[in-house]
Amino acid sequence: MRLLVTDLDNTLYDWVTPFARSLRAMVGELAALLGVDEDPLYSELRAVHRRHHNSEHPFAIFELPTVRRAFPGATPEALLHALARPLAAFDAARATWLRLYEGVDETLGALRAQGHLIVGHTESIGPTARRRLRVLGIEQHFAGIYCLESALGPHPSPTWQDKGGVPVHVVPRDERKPNPALLRDICASELARPEEAIYVGDSLTRDIWMARRAGVCAVWARYGRSYTEEDWDTVVRVSHWTPDDIRREARLRVNAVGVAPDHAIDGFGELLGIEPTVAARPVRRRVRRAAVGEG
Ligand SMILES: [Mg+2]
């Protein structure tokens, strides 16, 4: 293997559990602080996420109509102070639940020591993805991360400033997963042929379908769905998905019927024993050059 392209969420760490539990902790504290019901706060969060096309829009809480009514005209800095308890509840729950899957740090370190190049590929926006890799202590293993574009203004919290680090390559929204042409472009950008690369991810419809179509060895992280139904329901409750997104998802599921990975793993460490092999040569398709730039 020359290149490992790894999905991030639910391949290197469980994203669903910490996000859902942080959100519930924050909403609970916010409802108590303002003396309101929790239900409308979830609906308002969903509306903010839809506006930003991002279910993980940093500090979405500042934009909730209920919050704006409670603190009319407040600056982001004033809101940071006023909402300290709900924000602290979010941070505390995330610190409790955000954990790498077993063996991830060691395996990335070993692959890097063997001379393999490692890049990330995620549907998260750059600042969020980079920060999470840093918090988890694995940023140093990555030569770069391919992240979705975002329009994020300056952040009110000094602890949240993006201080740089691993290079972020911005992927336009219309190039998002599953996009075999983009994956082939990632290989080209990292100076690897598709057959020298491995793609690992937890989603059959996105990661595995894409890698198979791109002619890249597709490794399915089948351990990545080990979250509870309650936590998934919380994510869905505030998700930015529009009816169009839900229709797209249904199409992807139809596309991916019968897709099979080249390998399936039950722990990230199993990557160490895998050499890139693809089950069948992919159909040669015209590859459009994706707009991948430095972010
Ligand atoms: Mg994933």
Side-chain angles (χ1 to χ4, degrees):
M1 170 173 47
R2 180 178 174 81
L3 173 68
L4 173 67
V5 186
T6 178
D7 170 56
L8 303 183
D9 294 350
N10 288 79
T11 295
L12 303 181
Y13 48 82
D14 180 5
W15 174 84
V16 171
T17 304
F19 181 69
R21 295 180 186 188
S22 304
L23 211 85
R24 290 203 297 270
M26 181 182 76
V27 168
E29 284 289 343
L30 183 61
L33 179 73
L34 302 182
V36 298
D37 287 341
E38 293 188 10
D39 281 351
L41 299 177
Y42 283 103
S43 307
E44 291 181 10
L45 274 168
R46 183 184 181 112
V48 172
H49 291 156
R50 279 190 175 183
R51 192 159 64 237
H52 294 285
H53 308 288
N54 179 7
S55 300
E56 210 182 6
H57 183 66
F59 288 63
I61 187 176
F62 287 7
E63 299 177 35
L64 303 186
T66 301
V67 167
R68 304 307 307 188
R69 275 196 303 277
F71 305 100
T75 61
E77 290 74 14
L79 287 175
L80 199 61
H81 181 71
L83 303 177
R85 279 181 69 94
L87 292 170
F90 185 97
D91 286 346
R94 184 175 50 197
T96 301
W97 296 105
L98 182 63
R99 292 279 179 272
L100 290 172
Y101 290 127
E102 202 180 321
V104 167
D105 186 22
E106 299 83 338
T107 304
L108 291 173
L111 290 169
R112 197 159 61 110
Q114 290 169 12
H116 306 301
L117 194 66
I118 302 168
V119 299
H121 181 205
T122 178
E123 302 272 76
S124 293
I125 62 173
T128 310
R130 178 151 63 187
R131 186 168 194 264
R132 193 152 32 226
L133 295 187
R134 184 168 310 153
V135 166
L136 288 166
I138 54 171
E139 185 187 15
Q140 72 279 9
H141 299 311
F142 288 82
I145 42 175
Y146 292 77
C147 301
L148 272 193
E149 64 180 334
S150 73
L152 208 56
H155 209 276
S157 168
T159 63
W160 226 97
Q161 302 306 330
D162 193 5
K163 300 181 184 72
V166 59
V168 169
H169 307 280
V170 175
V171 176
R173 287 197 170 261
D174 60 2
E175 297 280 353
R176 69 192 209 259
K177 293 183 187 183
N179 182 349
L182 175 69
L183 178 53
R184 292 181 73 95
D185 276 346
I186 290 175
C187 293
S189 300
E190 305 298 341
L191 306 180
R193 296 194 306 275
E195 58 270 28
E196 296 173 315
I198 285 179
Y199 194 99
V200 59
D202 65 297
S203 167
L204 285 172
T205 55
R206 290 187 160 70
D207 303 320
I208 300 308
W209 182 86
M210 172 176 65
R212 295 285 288 121
R213 292 295 284 258
V216 170
C217 177
V219 178
W220 181 33
R222 63 181 161 199
Y223 52 84
R225 298 287 149 128
S226 56
Y227 40 76
T228 68
E229 204 168 317
E230 183 193 11
D231 287 333
W232 180 245
D233 287 347
T234 301
V235 170
V236 171
R237 195 172 181 192
V238 298
S239 91
H240 67 282
W241 300 323
T242 61
D244 267 357
D245 292 321
I246 291 164
R247 278 192 289 275
R248 177 177 187 264
E249 194 63 37
R251 278 200 309 276
L252 294 182
R253 274 201 298 274
V254 171
N255 275 349
V257 166
V259 71
D262 295 297
H263 302 271
I265 56 174
D266 294 309
F268 196 78
E270 292 178 31
L271 271 179
L272 285 171
I274 293 178
E275 277 301 313
T277 49
V278 289
R281 297 298 300 169
V283 179
R284 194 111 186 117
R285 298 167 72 239
R286 202 174 72 80
V287 176
R288 181 160 66 94
R289 184 84 202 155
V292 178
E294 281 289 321

